[in-house]
Amino acid sequence: QVQLVESGGGVVQPGGSLRLSCAASGFTFSNYDMHWVRQAPGKGLEWVAFIRYDGDNKYYLDSVKGRFTISRDNSNTLYLQMNSLRTEDTAVYYCVRMYHGFDYWGQGTLVTVSS
Amino acid sequence: EIVLTQSPGTLSLSPGERATLSCRASQSFSSTYLAWYQQKPGQAPRVLIYGASSRATGIPDRFSASGSGTDFTLTISRLEPEDFAVYYCQQFGASPPYAFGQGTKVEIK
């Protein structure tokens, strides 16, 4: 069965960095486009970043451009490098597969940016 | 950039009633790229509908959706207790950012 397992969240000070990972299993990872989506506490869903199945195309939410980098290792791992973190980046970050819509989601990893 | 606006913000209904949720886009896009999601507290979202009207695997047929251009609708024909949740629409392929609507909460009246 398809599984997406995020890791790497935690508490970081403003201006700090974190790298999130997402381990994929149960499907041929290299065939699928992938995304990161976040959800601030008590708020709605916010798309963050996209990477094409082969890693050649990447898109970002305007507010994270230049600070976040999405990447993938097609031996089954998706990454999100987050630099220059701000308090408004505090959220649960989900790794998501795209096929028929965003069809599989991880359980999420919490990132808290606070001094 | 496509902005999605959902209405109403909250829908208060009883089990067995029909729910009609609206999603309006700031500009027209192909319905191929419209999806609906359900999210329950403490859980990740799950896809209900993609391509504006196709039910995802395992989604009961009381969920249906329609629409094109800028106006899309999700209908739950008869609410079951497990359907009380937050629902989001999303455009997922027309062009980035792949925005979500702000959500409609369906609560028990």
Side-chain angles (χ1 to χ4, degrees):
Chain A
Q1 73 282 19
V2 172
Q3 279 201 300
L4 298 168
V5 180
E6 302 95 338
S7 60
V11 181
V12 61
Q13 292 189 334
S17 298
L18 278 178
R19 186 170 91 151
L20 306 184
S21 299
C22 170
S25 60
F27 65 104
T28 305
F29 180 69
S30 58
N31 287 353
Y32 290 86
D33 298 339
M34 298 293 295
H35 297 257
W36 288 96
V37 174
R38 68 185 179 184
Q39 187 169 36
K43 302 297 184 183
L45 301 171
E46 183 173 52
W47 170 82
V48 173
F50 157 87
I51 186 167
R52 205 172 74 169
Y53 64 94
D54 58 3
D56 275 1
N57 276 41
K58 302 175 185 181
Y59 302 125
Y60 298 92
L61 182 67
D62 279 351
S63 62
V64 309
K65 278 180 191 172
R67 301 189 300 121
F68 289 12
T69 302
I70 189 171
S71 62
R72 65 191 298 160
D73 170 354
N74 273 347
S75 63
N76 293 342
T77 306
L78 179 72
Y79 300 100
L80 186 68
Q81 177 66 45
M82 303 187 296
N83 299 330
S84 303
L85 282 160
R86 304 169 181 168
T87 55
E88 57 264 34
D89 296 320
T90 294
V92 173
Y93 284 74
Y94 294 102
C95 162
V96 188
R97 189 184 87 164
M98 185 172 83
Y99 181 51
H100 287 148
F102 284 21
D103 63 348
Y104 281 94
W105 298 63
Q107 83 289 350
T109 187
L110 177 61
V111 172
T112 302
V113 185
S114 173
S115 54
Chain B
E1 177 178 336
I2 297 173
V3 176
L4 300 177
T5 303
Q6 293 186 240
S7 61
T10 302
L11 202 47
S12 298
L13 294 168
S14 301
E17 290 194 292
R18 182 184 188 91
T20 303
L21 288 66
S22 173
C23 176
R24 178 162 289 176
S26 58
Q27 58 186 278
S28 180
F29 65 97
S30 170
S31 61
T32 300
Y33 303 120
L34 192 282
W36 289 92
Y37 302 86
Q38 177 193 67
Q39 188 179 32
K40 298 179 181 179
Q43 296 184 16
R46 70 163 176 164
V47 64
L48 300 174
I49 302 286
Y50 61 92
S53 61
S54 298
R55 271 188 303 276
T57 303
I59 301 303
D61 61 8
R62 64 180 180 272
F63 291 92
S64 64
S66 63
S68 64
T70 60
D71 289 298
F72 301 92
T73 301
L74 175 71
T75 301
I76 311 170
S77 59
R78 287 171 40 138
L79 283 163
E80 297 288 340
E82 61 269 27
D83 299 336
F84 292 92
V86 180
Y87 293 83
Y88 296 93
C89 61
Q90 185 212 16
Q91 73 88 4
F92 66 91
S95 61
Y98 301 122
F100 293 87
Q102 82 279 17
T104 291
K105 182 179 182 181
V106 179
E107 65 175 23
I108 299 177
K109 186 174 182 180

